[in-house]
């Protein structure tokens, strides 16, 4: 089982208990339409107003978003099923740091630490380092000693970044499809068994084609005065 498949299994197991986390707009309203965080349901007017306020703000610089994207792709490499960009993971992380300000120091400081390390070790920035160099660096902070209570800042940074990336991806439309999660999809009812219908003197005749069609599952049945199904 590869790393991505392992994460996929963990996420499927966590869906019953909630998502993994504990808890680039320019201000033009029309540009918020395509943002995934402008919810279309289940939001009070106050929540909608708060969401739009956050969407109009910008926390990360463009260079930081580029680093976050690169990090996210190292954590969850692109597959035929989906990519970090398709799942809008950078946008998700941008939203989260504005919604929960304690994330800001950890994430921005962590990005600065990555550049500082690469500058000392490789003489360049994180983004300009080679992929093997980037992975070598991340391996040092991705697998901490679990017995150490007070982890180093960079270890906590990567742990938070990894959680945000995994949560952002596997709670997106792209990620949900990759998981194959169908818990929120209603089952198709095939009707009362034929032997039970026959026992009571009934039969579906041509009714089955009407109420077994998933395309019509949201339509209310119509009956005539004699109890015959019309549509």
């Amino acid at each position: 089982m590869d790393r991505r498949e392992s994460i996929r299994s963990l996420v499927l197991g966590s869906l019953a208990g909630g998502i993994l986390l504990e808890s680039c707009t320019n201000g033009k309203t029309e540009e918020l339409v395509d943002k995934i965080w402008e919810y279309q349901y289940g939001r009070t007017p106050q929540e909608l107003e708060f969401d739009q306020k956050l969407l109009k703000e910008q926390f990360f610089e463009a260079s930081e978003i580029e680093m976050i994207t690169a990090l996210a792709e190292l954590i969850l490499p692109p597959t035929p099923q989906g990519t970090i960009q398709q799942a809008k993971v950078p946008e998700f992380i941008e939203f989260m740091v504005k919604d929960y300000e304690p994330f800001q120091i950890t994430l921005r400081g962590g990005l600065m630490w990555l550049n500082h390390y690469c500058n000392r070790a490789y003489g360049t920035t994180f983004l300009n380092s080679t992929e093997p160099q980037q992975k070598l660096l991340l391996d040092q902070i991705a697998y901490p000693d679990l017995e150490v209570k007070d982890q180093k800042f960079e270890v906590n940074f990567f742990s938070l970044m990894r959680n945000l990336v995994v949560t952002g991806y596997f709670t997106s439309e792209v990620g949900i499809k990759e998981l194959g999660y169908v818990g929120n999809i209603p089952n198709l009812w095939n009707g009362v068994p034929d032997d039970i219908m026959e026992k009571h003197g009934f039969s579906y005749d041509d009714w089955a084609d009407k109420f077994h069609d998933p395309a019509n599952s949201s339509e209310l049945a119509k009956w005539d005065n004699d109890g015959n199904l019309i549509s």
Side-chain angles (χ1 to χ4, degrees), residues 52-184:
Q52 294 200 358
K53 174 181 177 294
L54 295 186
L55 288 170
K56 292 176 183 179
E57 300 172 354
Q58 182 70 32
F59 177 76
F60 287 119
E61 301 290 338
S63 59
E64 292 174 318
I65 291 293
E66 191 176 359
M67 285 186 68
I68 289 171
T69 302
L71 272 170
E73 289 182 334
L74 289 170
I75 294 170
L76 286 178
T79 70
Q81 287 74 35
T83 67
I84 292 300
Q85 288 87 349
Q86 289 174 331
K88 298 186 178 181
V89 171
E91 290 91 336
F92 169 77
I93 296 176
E94 164 70 20
F95 182 89
M96 287 302 299
V97 299
K98 293 179 294 192
D99 187 49
Y100 188 66
E101 293 185 2
F103 286 163
Q104 296 179 2
I105 294 178
T106 301
L107 293 184
R108 174 160 279 167
L111 296 176
M112 293 174 63
W113 181 88
L114 290 178
N115 277 331
H116 180 67
Y117 182 99
C118 290
N119 185 53
R120 288 189 294 107
Y122 312 132
T124 186
T125 64
F126 178 80
L127 287 175
N128 288 327
S129 301
T130 65
E131 185 171 316
Q133 290 173 333
Q134 293 172 342
K135 289 182 176 180
L136 182 63
L137 163 57
L138 296 181
D139 282 346
Q140 298 179 45
I141 58 178
Y143 305 102
D145 185 349
L146 298 180
E147 294 183 359
V148 178
K149 294 182 179 180
D150 296 323
Q151 299 288 356
K152 293 182 179 180
F153 171 82
E154 57 268 25
V155 171
N156 293 329
F157 155 72
F158 187 78
S159 178
L160 174 59
M161 179 63 72
R162 178 171 49 200
N163 286 345
L164 283 167
V165 169
V166 172
T167 299
Y169 184 85
F170 285 111
T171 56
S172 70
E173 181 178 358
V174 170
I176 291 292
K177 288 181 179 179
E178 181 172 337
L179 287 173
Y181 179 69
V182 294
N184 58 345

Side-chain angles (χ1 to χ4, degrees), residues 185-199:
I185 298 177
N187 294 325
L188 179 62
W189 183 57
N190 291 321
V192 178
D194 290 338
D195 59 329
I196 302 300
M197 292 287 289
E198 184 177 354
K199 178 180 178 181

